[in-house]
Structure formats: C-alpha cells, structure tokens
Amino acid sequence: MIQIVRKVFIKRADLADAEWSELPIVPASATIKIEVAPEAAGLLQTSEFKAKLSRKHPWLLCNLIVKILLDDGETVSCGTADLPVRLSIEKATTLDVTFKHKTRADM
C-alpha cells in the first residue's frame, strides 16, 4: 500500500544526542510503500520512500534515522544506530531523495 507523507523528520544516527530536523519536502510529493513478506528467518519489512525536496538539507549524506508522519496521522520510523537509513539523491530539475530500508518486521 502506498501512503501519502505529510512531514518527514530526520536525525543523525551516529550522534547519541542528535535532535530531529524536518526535511523540506515539496507538499504532496513524498510517498512511502511498506511491504511485509515472509523470509526464512521470519518476517521482513521493506520500506521504500520517495520525495522531492524544495532545497538541500545538510544531513542528506549522513547515516540517518527517519520519522515519517502520514496523512492519516500514523507515524513510521525507519533506521536505527545499528542499521541506519542512507538516502539516494538525484539532482535534475528537482532534488529527489529515495531510500529502501529492510528490517525484521515487528508484528
């Protein structure tokens, strides 16, 4: 299921006292797709995120923990200090960021 993202917050995964910072996403441009599938070791959750940014953020190339606020009020978290999120960046007429994060599903 693809869900619409309202806000995205990031913090540096490599700093213990890091604070959250909002990513400057273009309104209605961000989506997240979450898939849970059985694997040999249990359930695997794959989260795929895409967004257009209105400007650069200084932490785009850092190891991150990402908190995503969906349009229905639900919050999705991706990344930890041990298994951080790394953004892929594509710069054309817009600044596009994406990530694909896999982790054990907590169900």
Side-chain angles (χ1 to χ4, degrees), residues 3-6 24-32 49-54 95-97:
Q3 298 174 297
I4 303 297
V5 174
R6 190 171 8 160
I25 61 171
V26 173
S29 73
T31 60
I32 186 162
F49 172 80
K50 299 177 185 180
K52 294 184 184 309
L53 301 185
S54 59
L95 181 61
D96 298 338
V97 294

Side-chain angles (χ1 to χ4, degrees), residues 8 11 14 25 31 33 44 53-54 61 67 69-70 88 104:
V8 179
K11 73 176 179 177
D14 53 355
I25 61 171
T31 60
K33 177 182 171 186
L44 178 69
L53 301 185
S54 59
L61 298 177
K67 186 174 10 174
L69 180 61
L70 303 175
S88 297
R104 193 174 134 227

Side-chain angles (χ1 to χ4, degrees), residues 9-100:
F9 298 92
I10 59 173
K11 73 176 179 177
R12 302 260 317 255
D14 53 355
L15 299 176
D17 59 348
E19 295 193 18
W20 292 101
S21 178
E22 187 173 352
L23 266 184
I25 61 171
V26 173
S29 73
T31 60
I32 186 162
K33 177 182 171 186
I34 300 171
E35 180 180 280
V36 178
E39 297 285 325
L43 293 176
L44 178 69
Q45 177 176 310
T46 303
S47 303
E48 293 184 60
F49 172 80
K50 299 177 185 180
K52 294 184 184 309
L53 301 185
S54 59
R55 63 185 182 283
K56 287 184 181 180
H57 189 286
W59 300 345
L60 292 181
L61 298 177
C62 298
N63 290 331
L64 300 172
I65 299 171
V66 180
K67 186 174 10 174
I68 300 167
L69 180 61
L70 303 175
D71 61 349
D72 64 1
E74 183 182 350
T75 301
V76 176
S77 295
C78 296
T80 63
D82 294 333
L83 189 59
V85 168
R86 292 298 304 246
L87 295 174
S88 297
I89 302 165
E90 183 179 318
K91 193 174 178 181
T93 56
T94 61
L95 181 61
D96 298 338
V97 294
T98 60
F99 72 76
K100 185 173 187 178

